[in-house]
Amino acid sequence: QVLLVESGGGVVQPGRSLRLSCAASGFVFSSYAMHWVRQAPGKGLEWLAVISPDGNNKDYADSVKGRFTISRDNSKSTLDLQMDSLRADDTAVYFCARGDIGGYCTNGRCYGVWVDNWGQGTLVTVSS
Amino acid sequence: DIQVTQSPASLSASVGDRVTITCRASQSISRYLSWYQHKPGRAPKVLIYATSTLQDGVPSRFGGSRSGTEYNFTITNLQPEDFATYYCQQSYSSPLTFGGGTKVEIK
């Protein structure tokens, strides 16, 4: 079955960096777009970023554009999120998620890649 | 970017009730709207995709429909395990966007 396992969360000071990883198994990783989504304490789900199956197309929410970078290694079936210049309002549970295989990505955008599977999440706390 | 407005933010209902949640998109998104159930401490779960298609294994008491840019999610015969927070998400075009969520509580 599809398994997505996030790692790398923890406590980090404001202004510092943190890198999250997601290990995927149970499906052909290189065939799917992948997402990062987060949920801050007491808040709703917030979509953050998507990357195309080949890694050539990426798109971001305005709230993290320029600070966060999504990447993938199809040879290892891993998805990463590099988070720089972290702020207190980045405190959240971060979820790795798979996009539907029926979508597509082109010219820096992705279309129809609704989320069909989620990881359990990893907690990031930004605090001094 | 496409915005999605979800209502209500919360509702109270009893076992056996019918509940409806609405999401309105800021522009046409065709059939590209999904509904997710989220319980505290757990991974969200997709219930419906492409407006009205039930994900495998999801009970038929869950349903979705569309009228223009307004999308409705309905639970008929509410069960104890259905008390959770529900989100819609548009995937017509990235950046993808979620609605603000609806918390379904026990009356």
Side-chain angles (χ1 to χ4, degrees), chain A residues 35 37 39 43-47 50 59-62 65 95 108-120, chain B residues 1 32 34 36 38 41-46 48-50 55 87 89 91-101:
Chain A
H35 303 268
V37 177
Q39 184 178 37
K43 303 291 186 182
L45 297 174
E46 180 186 15
W47 178 87
V50 64
D59 201 4
Y60 299 89
D62 286 346
K65 196 174 294 183
F95 297 97
R109 293 234 169 177
C110 291
Y111 304 87
V113 288
W114 56 275
V115 172
D116 68 0
N117 279 275
W118 300 72
Q120 291 294 322
Chain B
D1 297 348
Y32 294 99
S34 309
Y36 301 88
H38 193 201
R42 299 178 66 173
K45 172 185 174 184
V46 60
I48 290 173
Y49 61 94
Q55 180 72 318
Y87 296 89
Q89 183 196 42
S91 58
Y92 179 79
S93 171
S94 64
L96 278 68
T97 40
F98 286 98

Side-chain angles (χ1 to χ4, degrees), chain B residues 16-92:
Chain B
D17 282 355
R18 174 188 175 103
V19 301
T20 298
I21 300 168
T22 298
C23 279
R24 184 170 288 108
S26 60
Q27 66 183 72
S28 174
I29 57 170
S30 185
R31 61 191 177 94
Y32 294 99
L33 191 102
S34 309
W35 292 94
Y36 301 88
Q37 179 189 67
H38 193 201
K39 297 181 179 179
R42 299 178 66 173
K45 172 185 174 184
V46 60
L47 301 179
I48 290 173
Y49 61 94
T51 297
S52 59
T53 303
L54 256 63
Q55 180 72 318
D56 290 345
V58 173
S60 60
R61 64 179 180 274
F62 295 97
S65 63
R66 167 197 174 193
S67 176
T69 59
E70 183 171 292
Y71 298 77
N72 287 323
F73 171 78
T74 303
I75 312 173
T76 57
N77 189 21
L78 194 68
Q79 295 299 297
E81 60 267 29
D82 299 337
F83 292 95
T85 301
Y86 294 86
Y87 296 89
C88 61
Q89 183 196 42
Q90 71 81 17
S91 58
Y92 179 79

